Amino acid sequence: MTKDVIALTPEMPDTKTVLAGLFAGGPDLGVTSAADGAVVQLRAPDGRPLVSVEAPLLIQVPGEARRLLGPDAVAPDGPYWWTEARASTTVEESERLAGSFAGRVAAVLGGTVWPPEAAHTEVVPLTSEAATAAAAPEATPPAVDILTDKAAVVIQDRRPVVAMTTWLADALRTAAAGDRALQIVTPPGTGLTLPTRGALHGRPNRWVVQDPDCGYYDGLSGARLHWRDGHFTPVPSPDGEARIADAYRPSAPPAPAERQLALSLRTTHPADENLLLGRALEASWRALTGAPPAGWSTAEPISLPWSPRRLTELARARAQRSAPTWLTAIGAPDRPAIATTHVSHTPAGIEEHITLTLGYAPDEATPLETLAPLAELLAAEHGLTSMLTTLRPARRDLTVPPRFEAPPLPLTFTLGPDAVTGIGLAHAEQPQAGLHPTRLGPPARPALHYALGDGTDPQAWARFERLGAHLATTKTRRPSGQPD
């Protein structure tokens, strides 16, 4: 399995420092580049990749090392460089080579290594057995440990949290391009970030948890799994129902609940040169936390200070290549909040699909009273098409454990003025399931805000479903000359 080792340094590792680290295996090993130069690989004499090193990433957002590597991770003060090495599965010495690479880089530049026990600066010669082992397929990307016709399997047994890194995003693209499932294998103590959970949502992708007592199970559904025909698949049962692993079930009554408030919103903007993306997300963040996002990036760790102008430039450049943009934003360490945004160019204009999630401790108030004013602001100034808000008991730190968590329950749903006009105000305002929407904004062109529940009533989903069915119903036109 691959082993990740990360050097955290106050200075950028230059070419000489990187090469000095890579020559931890001696001068007989080869050094090549991959992924259009974004990855440098140390290769065995037969061409097999031993260690893959991603281009150093400048982290300008506080708290990322601890968020992704655990509370004991030590990073330099101020902005620092994150240089990540992955040891391959093909040669036993690869893990020590990765540790020597990171240790040498940190020693030269005065930084630290995660995990600290992996760091050293010794030369790691290959054994004769390793030098003659069978070569791995050249097409296997650096992040993938097992590649079959059905799955690209990534094994993560060291990280406390599996983040949506550029490594993992590359593995996801590789899997999708080959019509394969991405399957991430972790021990039971590992969690996911919300962006990673979003990427794995739905089949055929899976989070595979290897539990010492009950074997493999799906960390998001609890279904017991086994390896068959080149991928992890549910264990069959006589009645056709999925077998749920005991490790996935709650083992004790829940403690006083930490909570997660989530906003799923869609905005639509005219495609003009003055458009500035990210403003709806920033407005939501400020309304709920009192501050803007701390940073953003197209992958984790989050590296760039928050800047709607820069993310707009990125989205515009990608749109010129007919490519959508996916990005993540993060909040300050003392106020857990994370968002994903998907930007696409559609016939209606430039659309942003945003999911913002915030975590709260049992003694922290959830700002439910801000939802209606926020909806009005988004409808008036930020092109809101729709917004659904939900609440659920879940971890304040926003990580996803491999155990059952209660599903979210709807709080509110808002239709923007364009959506209300398209449906018809009278039809959209017609009470359904006891719902009486509130008009937001100017009377002639309002948004409609529906209160669905308080976050504790399971019937809120039924109300939302009936509301959705009603809004999707096209009114039958009456014959000409008859009153409406």
Side-chain angles (χ1 to χ4, degrees), residues 250-256:
S251 59

Side-chain angles (χ1 to χ4, degrees), residues 303-317:
S303 58
L304 301 171
W306 176 249
S307 172
R309 178 185 60 80
R310 290 193 64 182
L311 69 88
T312 301
E313 291 172 351
L314 172 70
R316 184 170 287 122

Side-chain angles (χ1 to χ4, degrees), residues 323-352:
T325 297
W326 182 93
L327 59 91
T328 300
I330 196 74
D334 61 346
R335 166 40 56 216
I338 193 167
T340 59
T341 299
H342 184 267
V343 182
S344 59
H345 196 162
T346 71
I350 305 300
E351 294 191 4
E352 295 176 287

Side-chain angles (χ1 to χ4, degrees), residues 6-10 59 65 69 73-76 80-83 106 110-114:
I6 302 167
L8 306 172
T9 59
I59 306 299
L69 304 179
V74 178
Y80 59 91
W81 293 88
W82 178 301
T83 307
T112 61
V113 173
W114 181 90

